[in-house]
């Protein structure tokens, strides 16, 4: 796993020695001049010139110096001149070596030695391979060896693995079996539609008898024809390896790993990783790449003539890969994914722990690693914003728990007419909780002048909407930006103007209503919560909201009661950019959740898809599988004396005395 650069740059003359003025009649009048001249030429990459300062065969010496640079795939080579001892016509020079092994790799520092002898042409270095390194004997050369780490795992809250180990085909080479490394690797790269440069960087510096995996491909991208063509290239081999790659749940959250058929490592990941490594491209795989990938052990080794390792000259231990724990609950996550299966198009379900803000599930109907709208989406909430508006009316003093809030057929504010879903109205003397239960646009719009934009924004922020918090992965807390016109404030009260939220935002807001305190979300416990702030809310005000949410389920969505226990929630339908948004937000037994279904306007709306998905989710949570729908005792579950609302929560024609529908 140690990285190799995409290119190498030779450092010419940097930090070596002061160049000597060679003006004496004798070419090398002193050992110092010979050593300085040799090291300076070697450092500059002028290996032919360096060879002239030795007593060896010029071509062989130049080839040895060139091989060292290529076999180590050096980014740069610098020298420091050390002490020189002289006795008669013999001398011994010491010098410091700083061999930069590449971007992200270590620098190999060691002390070299070279003997010198006086002769007719002055002082010359007595050449042997030990000049390259003191422990290098004749017929040995240098190489870089890597020991890669197995990719770590991402775990659920109970320690369950969330990433599937895939069998992938590693296309690689045995360097020692290649007739022409550059030609062979280039041919393989062209066959796999890869850039040959990063592949060559790894192969040049590798021990010849060690298999070098260069490109990882899944089985769907590997056929017999490809294997046959690869096998025709000398030195190319393929091996099956197991790699933790595919998210078993929440693909956008866990993220994608480079090395899949769609994202090949060597072409997609430059810089600090070499060909054949796996690298997280998105989600937690990307954010915690270092922890999950670790780093390989890098060794400088000496090889004999057959390519066997004879000695380890230097070693840098890599960091072991580890695991990342998350708050995802597999039962809740699987229930969420099951719930989205029946949606006609895109949709999302996020569930959180009401007592802590820990994220229990994050599901998208698309299953795409790129579809993170459950966390980052910016959606109009419509009527599911009315719990916030109810709290704003109470906190601002615009209404109290027992204040009568009339809900007629319609109201006109600032020249705009507001009507209720289903065009109904509320009879008698409805209070705030009843307006909330029946999603009464008219009642909330009429309160807007007394509530005001600041109170709406303040209550929303206390529930985390528009607040400052963040997670390890991209996430949005939403926005609240309300204009000053009367119609803007009235529209904001019913979630149609100036308010944008994500499913995560609404799940957290609903959890705060259930628990009495807003908790910042947590996804990876070791990273801590999104922020330390917790916001306590007024219990008396919350009881009004809770009563409205409970009555909303009983009167308008009784099918949600089939899973047992007390269910609280609000549902609504609204439009955004030509798409109908079906929402449900609610909670039960310590789990708060938000469902969003994006529906084509041309699709029949006989169902409120978010409510249906919520029912499946609750049934799966209770029974491990969707339950049969039973009508609760008392018909559709409406309180005695209250006109019925459609059981599917989808709205419809209003019954006199009732504001019906969810949209």
């Amino acid at each position: 796993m140690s990285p190799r650069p995409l290119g190498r740059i030779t450092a010419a003359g940097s930090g070596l020695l002061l160049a000597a003025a060679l003006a004496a009649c004798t070419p090398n009048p002193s050992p110092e001049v010979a050593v300085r001249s040799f090291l300076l030429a070697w450092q500059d990459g002028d290996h032919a010139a360096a060879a002239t300062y030795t007593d060896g065969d010029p071509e062989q010496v130049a080839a040895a110096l060139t091989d060292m640079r290529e076999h180590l795939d050096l980014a740069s080579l610098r020298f420091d001149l050390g002490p020189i001892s002289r006795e008669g016509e013999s001398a011994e020079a010491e010098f410091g070596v700083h061999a930069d092994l590449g971007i992200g790799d270590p620098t190999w520092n060691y002390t070299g030695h070279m003997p010198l002898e006086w002769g007719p042409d002055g002082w010359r270095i007595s050449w042997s391979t030990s000049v390259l390194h003191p422990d290098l004997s004749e017929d040995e050369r240098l190489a870089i060896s890597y020991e890669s780490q197995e990719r770590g795992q991402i775990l659920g809250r109970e320690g369950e693995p969330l990433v599937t180990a895939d069998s992938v085909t590693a296309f690689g080479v045995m360097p020692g079996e290649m007739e022409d490394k550059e030609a062979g690797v280039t041919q393989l790269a062209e066959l796999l539609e890869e850039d040959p440069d990063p592949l060559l960087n790894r192969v040049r510096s590798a021990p010849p008898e060690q298999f070098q995996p260069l490109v990882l491909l899944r089985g769907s991208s590997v056929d017999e024809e490809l294997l046959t063509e690869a096998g025709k290239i000398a030195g190319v081999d393929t091996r099956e390896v197991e790699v933790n790659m595919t998210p078993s749940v929440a693909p956008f959250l866990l993220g994608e790993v480079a090395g899949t058929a769609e994202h090949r490592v060597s072409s997609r990941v430059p810089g600090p990783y070499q060909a054949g490594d796996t690298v997280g491209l998105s989600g937690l795989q990307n954010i915690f790449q270092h922890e999950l990938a670790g780093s390989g052990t890098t060794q400088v080794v000496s090889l004999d003539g057959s390519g066997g390792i004879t000695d380890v000259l230097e070693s840098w231990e890599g960091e072991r890969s580890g695991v990342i724990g998350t708050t995802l609950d597999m039962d809740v996550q699987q229930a969420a994914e099951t719930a989205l299966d029946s949606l006609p198009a895109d949709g999302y379900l996020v569930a959180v722990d009401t007592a802590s803000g820990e994220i229990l599930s994050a599901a998208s109907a698309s299953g795409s690693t790129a579809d993170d709208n459950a966390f980052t989406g910016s959606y109009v909430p419509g009527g599911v914003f009315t719990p916030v508006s109810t709290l704003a009316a109470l906190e601002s003093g615009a209404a109290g728990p027992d204040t009568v809030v009339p809900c007629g057929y319609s109201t006109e504010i600032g020249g705009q007419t507001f009507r209720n879903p289903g065009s109904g109205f509320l009879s008698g003397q409805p209070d705030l909780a009843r307006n909330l239960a029946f999603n009464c646009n008219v009642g909330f719009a009429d309160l807007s002048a007394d509530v005001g934009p600041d109170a709406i924004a303040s209550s929303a922020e206390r529930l985390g909407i528009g607040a400052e918090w963040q997670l390890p992965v991209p996430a949005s807390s939403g926005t609240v930006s309300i204009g000053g016109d009367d119609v803007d404030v009235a529209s904001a009260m019913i979630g149609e103007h100036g308010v944008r939220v994500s499913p995560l935002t609404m799940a957290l807001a609903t959890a705060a209503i259930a628990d009495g305190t807003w908790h910042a979300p947590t996804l990876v416990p070791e990273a801590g919560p999104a922020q330390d702030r917790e916001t306590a809310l007024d219990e008396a005000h919350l009881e009004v909201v809770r009563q409205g949410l409970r009555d909303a389920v009983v009167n308008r969505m009784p099918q949600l009661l089939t899973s047992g226990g007390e269910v609280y929630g609000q549902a609504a339908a609204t439009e955004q950019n030509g798409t109908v948004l079906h929402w449900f937000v609610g909670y039960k037994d310590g789990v708060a959740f938000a469902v969003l279904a994006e529906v084509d306007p041309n699709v029949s709306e006989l169902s409120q898809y978010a409510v249906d998905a919520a029912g499946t989710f609750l049934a799966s949570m209770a029974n491990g599988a969707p339950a049969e729908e039973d009508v609760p005792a008392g018909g559709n579950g409406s309180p005695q004396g209250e006109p019925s609302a459609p059981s599917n929560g989808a709205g419809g024609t209003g019954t006199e005395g009732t504001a019906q529908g969810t949209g």
Side-chain angles (χ1 to χ4, degrees):
M1 272 221 223
S2 288
R4 309 302 300 160
L6 295 182
R8 300 301 187 191
I9 299 174
T10 301
S14 58
L16 171 64
L17 351 132
L18 295 175
L22 306 179
C25 294
T26 303
N28 300 304
S30 69
E32 290 84 354
V33 170
V35 172
R36 284 191 180 120
S37 301
F38 171 73
L39 293 178
L40 184 58
W42 184 7
Q43 177 177 282
D44 286 347
D46 190 350
H47 300 150
T52 63
Y53 298 102
T54 75
D55 62 4
D57 178 272
E59 291 186 0
Q60 293 180 0
V61 173
L65 298 176
T66 300
D67 287 346
M68 176 181 176
R69 184 176 293 272
E70 292 184 353
H71 291 159
L72 297 180
D73 198 18
L74 295 177
S76 68
L77 189 62
R78 297 184 300 107
F79 300 105
D80 297 324
L81 181 60
I84 299 176
S85 60
R86 177 177 174 181
E87 185 173 344
E89 296 184 350
S90 299
E92 181 80 16
E94 186 176 294
F95 59 101
V97 182
H98 309 283
D100 185 348
L101 301 181
I103 301 172
D105 276 350
T107 296
W108 182 28
N109 300 312
Y110 64 92
T111 300
H113 299 274
M114 65 178 78
L116 295 95
E117 295 292 336
W118 172 261
D121 296 323
W123 290 94
R124 288 183 178 272
I125 291 96
S126 298
W127 176 254
S128 71
T129 54
S130 65
V131 174
L132 302 176
H133 188 278
D135 295 333
L136 202 62
S137 62
E138 294 299 327
D139 300 323
E140 288 185 334
R141 73 170 182 87
L142 299 171
I144 301 293
S145 174
Y146 297 96
E147 181 181 349
S148 299
Q149 296 280 346
E150 180 180 354
R151 191 168 185 86
Q153 182 61 265
I154 300 176
L155 306 176
R157 68 191 296 116
E158 300 299 328
E160 315 95 321
L162 303 182
V163 183
T164 301
D166 294 335
S167 178
V168 299
T169 301
F171 286 77
V173 303
M174 296 290 288
E177 298 177 8
M178 304 196 78
E179 299 172 359
D180 183 329
K181 291 185 178 66
E182 184 169 351
V185 171
T186 299
Q187 188 178 350
L188 177 63
E190 291 175 351
L191 177 65
L192 301 178
E193 299 180 355
E194 296 283 354
D195 178 3
D197 288 342
L199 311 186
L200 278 167
N201 286 338
R202 177 166 185 170
V203 173
R204 287 193 188 104
S205 61
E209 302 306 315
Q210 285 187 1
F211 175 73
Q212 303 299 310
L214 300 178
V215 179
L216 307 180
L217 293 181
R218 284 183 171 176
S220 59
S221 299
V222 180
D223 55 28
E224 286 301 322
E225 182 180 356
L226 181 63
L227 293 172
T228 299
E229 290 301 314
K232 295 177 181 178
I233 305 171
V236 169
D237 194 5
T238 59
R239 299 185 182 182
E240 296 299 310
V241 294
E242 294 284 328
V243 182
N244 292 328
M245 272 192 175
T246 303
S248 60
V249 296
F252 85 90
L253 197 56
L254 271 61
E256 187 172 19
V257 177
T260 64
E262 296 79 13
H263 297 285
R264 297 166 181 171
V265 175
S266 61
S267 62
R268 283 296 304 272
V269 186
Y273 293 93
Q274 62 175 323
D277 284 346
T278 57
V279 180
L281 294 177
S282 61
L284 296 177
Q285 293 281 14
N286 175 263
I287 299 299
F288 294 97
Q289 164 65 19
H290 182 75
E291 291 85 347
L292 292 168
S295 59
T297 294
T298 304
Q299 294 180 330
V300 180
V301 298
S302 57
L303 307 177
D304 59 24
S306 62
I309 296 177
T310 57
D311 196 6
V312 176
L313 304 179
E314 185 64 88
S315 179
W316 296 268
E317 292 296 321
E319 295 184 26
R320 294 190 62 82
S321 58
V323 299
I324 297 298
T326 72
T327 60
L328 293 180
D329 185 297
M330 283 295 287
D331 291 337
V332 181
Q333 179 68 34
Q334 289 171 355
E337 295 184 356
T338 298
L340 298 181
D341 286 343
S342 61
L343 296 186
D346 289 339
Y348 310 94
L349 196 158
V350 177
V352 301
D353 188 313
T354 59
S356 65
E358 292 184 348
I359 298 170
L360 304 177
S361 73
S364 64
S366 69
S368 168
T369 56
D371 185 3
D372 63 355
N373 284 332
F375 279 18
T376 66
S378 181
Y379 296 101
V380 176
V384 294
F385 191 70
T386 52
V388 182
S389 302
T390 302
L391 198 60
L394 293 165
E395 292 180 338
S396 67
D402 300 321
T403 300
V404 175
V405 181
C407 178
Y409 283 108
S410 65
T411 187
E412 185 173 312
I413 299 174
Q416 180 170 321
T417 300
F418 291 82
R419 293 185 174 85
N420 298 311
S423 301
F425 72 99
L426 290 179
S427 61
Q429 295 183 318
D431 56 13
L432 263 178
R434 191 170 167 211
N435 272 264
L436 174 58
F438 287 93
N439 207 358
C440 184
N441 288 349
V442 172
F444 284 108
D446 281 337
L447 283 173
S448 62
D450 293 328
V451 176
D454 292 342
I456 299 173
S458 176
S459 295
E461 197 272 342
R462 287 160 62 76
L463 292 173
I465 302 174
E468 293 185 4
W469 51 263
Q470 62 181 9
L471 288 169
V473 294
S476 170
S477 69
T479 58
V480 180
S481 179
I482 305 170
D485 293 345
D486 291 344
V487 68
D488 291 340
V489 182
S491 295
M493 283 288 282
I494 59 174
E496 297 291 344
H497 164 75
V499 183
R500 295 293 184 271
V501 296
S502 67
L504 172 61
T505 304
M506 292 308 299
L508 292 167
T510 306
I513 292 170
D515 183 67
T517 300
W518 181 82
H519 302 279
T522 301
L523 176 61
V524 178
E526 70 181 49
Q531 65 169 215
D532 295 332
R533 178 178 69 86
E534 293 184 346
T535 303
L537 304 166
D538 188 295
E539 274 295 320
H541 295 163
L542 289 175
E543 280 305 314
V544 176
V545 179
R546 292 166 184 159
Q547 184 63 52
L549 294 177
R550 176 60 177 165
D551 290 346
V553 172
V554 171
N555 285 278
R556 290 165 43 221
M557 298 164 278
Q559 69 268 42
L560 300 185
L561 302 175
T562 60
S563 62
E566 292 193 350
V567 183
Y568 300 75
Q570 179 64 294
T574 187
E575 289 191 20
Q576 182 176 353
N577 299 329
T579 298
V580 177
L581 304 180
H582 287 195
W583 279 99
F584 177 86
V585 299
Y587 62 92
K588 175 190 174 185
D589 297 336
V591 177
F593 62 102
V595 186
L596 172 63
E598 299 183 26
V599 183
D600 188 309
N602 297 318
V603 173
S604 172
E605 292 190 26
L606 295 177
S607 294
Q608 214 287 9
Y609 290 102
V611 174
D612 294 344
T616 302
F617 175 70
L618 291 172
S620 297
M621 289 276 290
N623 307 318
E628 293 292 326
E629 284 198 7
D630 298 316
V631 178
N636 63 10
S638 301
Q640 186 175 2
E642 192 70 69
S644 299
S647 63
N648 65 10
T653 303
T655 303
E656 185 179 356
T658 306
Q660 296 191 37
T662 64

